[in-house]
Amino acid sequence: MCLALPMRVIEFLPGEMAVAERDGIRKEISVTLVPEVAIGDYVIVHVGFALAKLDPAEARRTLALIAEMAAPGPR
Amino acid sequence: MIAFDAFRDGETARRLAAAIAAEAQPGRSYAFMEFCGGHTHAICRYAIAEMLPANLRMVHGPGCPVCVLPVGRVDAAIAIAERTGVTLCSFGDVLRIPGSHRRSLLSAKAAGADVRVVYSPLDALALAQALPDRQVVFFAVGFETTTPPTAAVLARARHLGIGNFSVFCNHVLTPPAIAAVLGEAADRPVLDGILGPAHVAAVTGADAFAGFARDARMPVVIAGFEPLDLLQAILMLVRQANSGAARVEIQFSRGVTAAGNRAAQALTAEVFEPRAHFAWRGLGQLAESGLRPRPGFAAWNAETRFEIGDPPPEPRTACRCAEILRGLAQPADCPLFGSACTPESPHGACMVSSEGACAAEWSYGRGRRRIWKELR
Ligand code: SF4
């Protein structure tokens, strides 16, 4: 029951709701808990609520750091 | 764009595992506890443990909310559901938790109680609006990730004056559970670090974990749930352990900050207050570890409305969940694992949800190599 998924906010709806999308799947979620969210933002969705925003620049930084930390490959 | 698939790259995973093996010192051992059931699930699903050197062990912790709910609270929920005029709803896993005599909400439903599955607390409130002649009760279970949504729905119910809705609140807090496992008990597990839960920390902030680094001298890395997140975080823990450091690091920097989600924290504090004690399966009564609606929400508190008292102490059974939740036993140590107890017919709570240690190990014990092949 704890599985939470990253999704992208694509449209606002009345009542602090929004449409979020991931891999072509759309869902109505509440954005009550992330008042600063904007269209195009990534959020972590859990039990129908956006819990927090995800930062794409930080995601890229993490991937770069992982590439650095990983042992050198065969090539 | 965030390239989510990049966090599942099989080749990079193998190279991270090689780095872990190279940096883990052969003269010592490492035991890291993952507290979160989501991590337990991911570690089993992606067979992370099998990629680690023999002297590095991942220990399952108490962070599966379905697993830590004591039998007495399940029994109380069943008693509420059996009342005339009540419709009780919760998440699918919650309905399958065995209470006393292996009865669950699902078996109460089969016997005629109106018990329903919801995906979100929003659905529970919508159900109350759709069924004005029924008393709709949301059986709320979960850690800091699930609590703010319940708080939002309670605030909305009060705002709209929806009188036939209430919440049976079983929300619990992660830090007291970590403190209880690390605790003072003579038989506490020997740990070298903690893999902290990213989604909980996205709400609470990484600062909520600072005490464990400072006071218990425990390395903490707040980690995401993809295979590369887990492996990078484990490597970060190895490095802290090797250097004798004990600090909180954030691996999941794309979603976690030091302060967390202030709006969610504020709403939670407005609606809920700590209970003096709350009983946990495996961990017993823990001070200030559970939440209940504040007096201003008493009209929407199912415990007030249905006069629910404190649950009796846990009955003793052959199930070893209690030790598993404290990191003192592994699922395979339980004589019922996979025989009398399976996900289809769970004997204990750890076998119910896919984040439970027993269910995760059982489900992915055979299928996991296939999953990795898909990712490569
Ligand atoms: S296998 Fe079943 S009975 Fe044994 S500890 Fe796990 S949940 Fe309990």
Side-chain angles (χ1 to χ4, degrees):
Chain A
M1 63 163 272
C2 267
L3 303 182
L5 272 185
M7 298 187 88
R8 192 172 207 181
V9 176
I10 57 172
E11 189 190 333
F12 286 125
L13 300 172
E16 296 179 338
M17 299 291 288
V19 180
E21 193 222 36
R22 164 96 191 254
D23 298 334
I25 295 166
R26 287 176 179 210
K27 228 158 76 164
E28 280 187 26
I29 62 167
S30 164
V31 289
T32 304
L33 303 173
V34 285
E36 72 287 9
V37 80
I39 297 294
D41 281 350
Y42 290 95
V43 288
I44 302 168
V45 177
H46 179 55
V47 298
F49 284 74
L51 272 193
K53 276 174 45 165
L54 288 168
D55 180 347
E58 279 295 339
R60 280 192 295 276
R61 258 197 288 283
T62 301
L63 283 170
L65 195 61
I66 286 173
E68 230 171 76
M69 289 168 80
R75 273 155 287 159
Chain B
M1 281 294 287
I2 302 184
F4 294 110
D5 288 350
F7 287 95
R8 296 184 175 183
D9 181 63
E11 173 59 27
T12 311
R14 275 191 297 279
R15 295 202 283 112
L16 270 178
I20 292 169
E23 294 189 32
Q25 294 165 357
R28 58 165 293 176
S29 63
Y30 303 80
F32 301 137
M33 178 174 274
E34 90 274 4
F35 267 86
C36 173
H39 279 152
T40 299
H41 176 91
I43 285 168
C44 292
R45 170 165 186 191
Y46 299 116
I48 299 294
E50 292 181 4
M51 304 177 76
L52 301 173
N55 61 339
L56 197 166
R57 227 161 34 92
M58 296 305 297
V59 182
H60 304 313
C64 158
V66 164
C67 305
V68 295
L69 194 68
V71 165
R73 300 294 285 187
V74 179
D75 290 347
I78 293 173
I80 295 173
E82 284 173 336
R83 295 207 183 201
T84 318
V86 166
T87 296
L88 184 134
C89 53
S90 192
F91 307 120
D93 284 346
V94 174
L95 304 189
R96 300 172 53 231
I97 308 174
S100 295
H101 315 296
R102 294 192 73 181
R103 288 197 68 211
S104 66
L105 282 160
L106 270 192
S107 55
K109 179 184 170 77
D114 187 3
V115 173
R116 307 192 190 189
V117 178
V118 288
Y119 161 75
S120 164
L122 288 171
D123 303 341
L125 189 61
L127 198 59
Q129 289 173 296
L131 303 172
D133 299 334
R134 309 279 304 173
Q135 276 295 331
V136 174
V137 181
F138 177 56
F139 184 17
V141 170
F143 285 93
E144 290 88 341
T145 48
T146 323
T147 306
T150 305
V153 164
L154 269 173
R156 198 170 159 74
R158 187 169 77 168
H159 176 73
L160 298 176
I162 299 175
N164 66 323
F165 178 75
S166 61
V167 169
F168 181 35
C169 178
N170 293 271
H171 286 304
V172 287
L173 303 169
T174 302
I178 297 183
V181 168
L182 296 180
E184 304 285 309
D187 63 346
R188 66 180 181 269
V190 178
L191 298 175
D192 302 287
I194 294 170
L195 201 67
H199 295 153
V200 166
V203 173
T204 64
D207 283 350
F209 296 84
F212 303 113
R214 194 183 51 232
D215 306 332
R217 299 289 307 149
M218 212 27 94
V220 180
V221 175
I222 309 289
F225 296 86
E226 298 293 346
L228 296 193
D229 288 324
L230 290 163
L231 289 163
Q232 184 190 24
I234 292 167
L235 181 52
M236 290 162 79
L237 283 173
V238 167
R239 287 181 177 179
Q240 279 204 49
N242 285 350
S243 66
R247 54 177 192 272
V248 179
E249 291 183 285
I250 303 174
Q251 181 279 331
F252 195 75
S253 58
R254 58 190 184 277
V256 174
T257 58
N261 181 340
R262 300 257 198 223
Q265 292 165 14
L267 186 61
T268 300
E270 183 192 320
V271 175
F272 293 114
E273 63 185 11
R275 298 171 191 264
H277 290 277
F278 194 73
W280 296 57
R281 199 180 293 234
L283 303 177
Q285 293 276 353
L286 301 182
E288 309 235 315
S289 66
L291 299 174
R292 64 172 179 216
R294 289 189 179 277
F297 291 89
W300 293 270
N301 183 349
E303 267 169 88
T304 318
R305 183 169 292 180
F306 301 103
E307 292 168 355
I308 305 296
D310 280 344
E314 290 291 278
R316 286 196 71 83
T317 70
C319 170
R320 298 193 64 186
C321 279
E323 290 156 273
I324 291 171
L325 292 167
R326 294 183 58 211
L328 300 175
Q330 297 291 315
D333 297 334
C334 175
L336 307 182
F337 179 69
S339 53
C341 182
T342 60
E344 291 71 42
S345 174
H347 191 92
C350 299
M351 193 55 101
V352 169
S353 154
S354 62
E355 295 108 66
C358 297
E361 290 213 1
W362 179 251
S363 307
Y364 293 113
R366 296 199 185 114
R368 54 196 178 186
R369 271 185 201 80
R370 185 180 50 75
I371 288 173
W372 260 116
K373 236 179 233 149
E374 281 166 20
L375 295 177
R376 267 171 208 151

